[in-house]
Amino acid sequence: MLRNRVEKPEDLNPVETQEWLEALDHVIDEGGPDRARYLLERLVYRAASFGVPTALQTNSAYLNTIPVEDEVPFPGDREIERRLKSLVRWNAVAMVVRANKYNDGIGGHISTFASSATLVEVGMNHFFRGSYGDQPGDLVYFQGHASPGMYARAFLEYRLSEDHLKNFRQELRDKPGLSSYPHPWLMPDFWQFPTVSMGIGPINAIYQARFMRYLENRNILPKTPRKVWAFCGDGEMDEPESTGSLSIAAREHLDNLIFVINCNLQRLDGPVRGNGNIIQELESLYRGAGWNVIKLIWGSDWDRLLAKDKSGLLIRRMHECVDGEFQNFKARGGAYVRKEFFGKYPELLKLVEDMTDDELARLKRGGHDPVKVYNAYKRAVEHTGQPTVILAKTVKGYGMGEAGEGRNTTHQQKKMNEQELMKLRQRFEIPIPEEAVTTVSFYRPPEDSPEVQYAKQRRKELGGPLPARRVQPVSLNIPALEEFSESLAGSQGRPVSTTMAFVAILKNLLKDKELGKLIVPIIPDEGRTFGMESLFRQIAIYASQGQLYKPVDSEQFLYYKESRDGQILEEGITEAGSMGSFTAAGTAYANYGVPTIPFYIFYSMFGFQRIGDMIWAFADARGRGFLMGATAGRTTLNGKGLQHEDGHSHVLASTVPNCLSYDPAYAYEIAVIIQDGMRRMYQNNEDIFYYLTIQNENYAQPPMPQGDDVREGILKGLYRISASSQGPARIQLWGSASILNETLRAQTILWDKFQIPSDVWSVTSYNELRRDALACERWNRLHPTEAPRKPFLQQQMEHTQGPIIAASDYMKVLADQLAPWCAGRLLALGADGFGRSDSRNYLRRFFEIDAESIVCAALTQLARWNQFDPHRVAQAYHEFGIDPDKKDPARS
Ligand SMILES: Cc1ncc(C[n+]2csc(CCOP(=O)(O)OP(=O)(O)O)c2C)c(N)n1
Ligand SMILES: [Mg+2]
C-alpha cells in the first residue's frame, strides 16, 4: 500500500489498462511531459463532467522531483567545500560538547545542524545573497536550534572569535558570549529573525515575502531578485502557524519565497510520522495549497541503483516503507539495510550484491548530497509564479555514528565521550592532536588557508556575510504635537469614541508628506467595526493583482477599493497573519532600510492572548510600531460576552519588556502617546513598540488641559485631570479610558451626597508607572549611601491626602502592582473574572466599577481609616441598590 495515498482499486481489465499506459508512454516519448500533462488534465476535466470523482493526485512517486538527466553540474569546488563543511561540523559539535563539559546542563543541540549542514552550506556558498549592490540581500530564516552551525561558519569566516565559541550559551561572563538561539535582541549585529519558537519562523517568512512585494508594488523599494529563505524542521510543520498561511503565499504568487524543510524524519521525542511518510504528506499539503514542490529524497548513489533496477521493485520498496523503518535503516547499519530493505525481494538483494554493508550504510539521502541540493536550490530560485518548498530528506544526527545518528534520543544529546569525539575527529579529518580532543578544542585553519579564503570569497561574491543584521539609523521628521490640533482641541461636546479619535489621527498621518506613505495600516477584517471603512477609498487596500472586478458598492463614494499600490493590509480573519505583516513592517527599518510605521488594529481580546508568542518574537526582533487593541475593556465592549471582552491584555502586555502599554481615555492622550512614540522609535531609534487600547464608547472628548506636566504625565502614566474645587481632597480617584467617566461621576456623587471632596486622575499606564518605580527601587537598592530616587508615581501622589481608589476595565492586579509605592493607600477595583453579555451599566455594576461602586469603595476605605461611619457605608450600598451579598464576579 502506498502511504498517504488513496489505495488503488482492483484492476478489472489489465489488458485495457496496459493499452492506456502504453498510449501515455507514447505521448511522453513523442510530445514530452507538458503534452502528457495537458492530456491528463483534459481527461480529468472530462471525467469530472460525467460525475466521475477524479481528484488530481497530489502525490508524486517517492523519488526526487528533478530527474538525474536534468541536473546541472555542481559549479563549486566540491573537495574544498566538503572540507569546509567538515570543519563547520566539527566546530558546531565542539561548541555544544565543550559548553556542556564545563557547564553541566547548559544545553545546546548537535543533531539538528548535523542533519542540515549540507542544506545550509550549499546555500552559503552558492545562493544566499548578502546584498544586491546597495540593496539588502536575501532574508534567511535559519532553524533556531541549528544555531551552532551558523556560529561555526561565522568562526571559519573569521567573523567570530574562538572566545565567542567557547562562550556559547554563556552570555553573562567577562568574555563575549553567543546566544543559545537566534535572538536579535541579544546579538543585534548578527541575527535577524527569532525563529526558535517553532512555527513563528515559517509564518513570518511568508508574510515577509508578501511584504517585500508590497514595498515593491508601492514603489517604496526597488525590485531585486532577493528571496526569503526559510529553514524549518519537519516536526515544526505540525505547528498550526507553520502551515496555516500557505495559501496566501500561492495566491500572491510569491516566487520570492523558498522553504527548505529539513525532513530528518524525527522531532524531539521520536519520529515525526513513524507510521507514515512526512515527505509525501507535506507534498500533498503544499501542492494542494498551490506551491511548487521539489522533493529531494535520494542522493546520487541511488541514481545508479534506480537505473539498474528494471523490475520497478526498488521504487515499490521505497514506497512501502514507513518513516519509522527509514529511521531504522540509518540507525542500525548496512547489514540491517541489506536484510530489511533490499532483502524483502530477491531481485533487490541481487541489485546490491556487489556492494558492501558499509557502502549500503553510506547510501546518501538527498539532503546530504551537495549536487542534489544545488540543483534543487537552482530550480527553486529560477521558478516563477509560485513559492517553492524543498522537501529534503536527511538523517538526524548525520555523522554522529552510533552516538546519535537516527536515534530517538539524538535531539537532546549534548555530550559525546572521548571515543565518540575521536571518531568524529577522524571522520572530519580535523588536524588537532589527540590530547586536544579531551578539551574539545576548536579548529580553524589560518586566515590565508584555501578553505577560509574560499569561504570568504564565496560570501564576498554573494554580496556579504550572513547572518548579519545591519541597521542604518532612522531619522524621520515627526510632526510636532501641535500638528495634532484636531485631537488636542477635543470634540466640542460631540460624543466620540477613542477608536474614532485614533482613526482621525491615523488619517491625518496618512496625509503627512514624509510619513504618509510609510504608514502601514493592518486590519484583520474588522475595518468596519473600527469605523475605518473610509480608508478603503482614501488609500485603498493592497492587492497585488489590482482589482479584477467591479466592486458591488462601486456606486458609493466609500467603495471597497483594491489596488496594486494600495496601502492597507486587509488580512482577512487571521490575527497570526496580521502579526506576520506587523512584524515584517515593524522590522523593515532593519531588513530593508525602510522605516515603515505599522499600525495593527485588532480586537484587543485576540491580541496578546491569541498571538502573544509572535508579539514576544516581534519584541526580540526589535520591531517598532503600534499595536492598537480596539473594542477594548471588559465592560466597555458591551453585549459581546465572555470570549470578546478583554480585561487582561494590559496584564499580558506588561510581560513584554520593550512594549509600552497605554489605556488612554481621551483623544489628546492618544495624540500625545502616538506623537512621542513615533519620535522615540523613528527619530531616536529606540527599539520599543507600543500597545494602546482604544474603545468604542462615545463620549465628549475634552480639550487637552494646559500645563507642561500634562504631556509628561500622560507619557509617564498618570496626571490629575480634576482637582477638587471644594477644598482639600480627602480621596484620590484613579480612572482609565472609559472608566474614567465613572470615576468623574463618582467624584460628583461623593461631593453631592456625602460632601467629600476628591481629586480625579487619569491613569494612562499602570505598566509604565511600575517600570519607573522598579527602576528607582533598583537604583536605590544598589546605591544605599546615596540620596534615594523617587518614582514619578510618588512624586505625584506624595502631597495628596486620603485613600486612593483605582478603577479600570482591567483586572485589579494591573493597579495592585503599584501598591508598594502607595503606602497602604491603594484600593484597586477592576474587572476580574469572565465577561458577560449585557449593556455597559449592568456590566459595570456587576464588576463593581461603576460610579456608585467606586463611591462605596471610597467610603469603605475612609471607614477603615476611621474617617467615616461604616453603617453609613452599608446604608449607601442599600441606597444605590447594590447587594453586598451579590455574586463575586471574579469567581462566577
Ligand atoms: C513552540 C515550540 N515548541 C517546542 C519547542 C521545543 N523544541 C525545540 S526543537 C524541537 C524538535 C524539533 O523537531 P524538528 O522541527 O523536526 O527539527 P529537527 O531538530 O528535527 O530538525 C522541539 C520540540 C520549541 N522550540 N518551540
Ligand atoms: Mg526533524
Side-chain angles (χ1 to χ4, degrees), residues 90-120:
W90 170 262
N91 288 309
V93 171
M95 197 182 317
V96 179
V97 174
R98 198 176 194 287
N100 285 278
K101 186 176 170 96
Y102 297 109
N103 296 268
D104 201 22
I106 203 132
H109 300 273
I110 299 174
S111 62
T112 298
F113 179 69
S115 68
S116 66
T118 306
L119 298 172
V120 173

Side-chain angles (χ1 to χ4, degrees), residues 524-558:
D525 197 35
E526 295 282 359
R528 293 181 200 279
T529 315
F530 309 141
M532 297 175 73
E533 59 268 42
S534 64
L535 287 182
F536 294 164
R537 170 71 199 275
Q538 185 187 330
I539 49 170
I541 291 162
Y542 172 71
S544 56
Q545 276 108 329
Q547 192 156 33
L548 304 176
Y549 62 97
K550 188 171 169 189
V552 67
D553 52 1
S554 58
E555 313 300 323
Q556 290 168 25
F557 179 64
L558 296 177

Side-chain angles (χ1 to χ4, degrees), residues 234-235 262 264-267 272 396:
D234 48 357
N262 176 16
N264 54 26
L265 314 186
Q266 289 178 244
R267 41 181 164 73
V272 178
K396 191 141 178 170

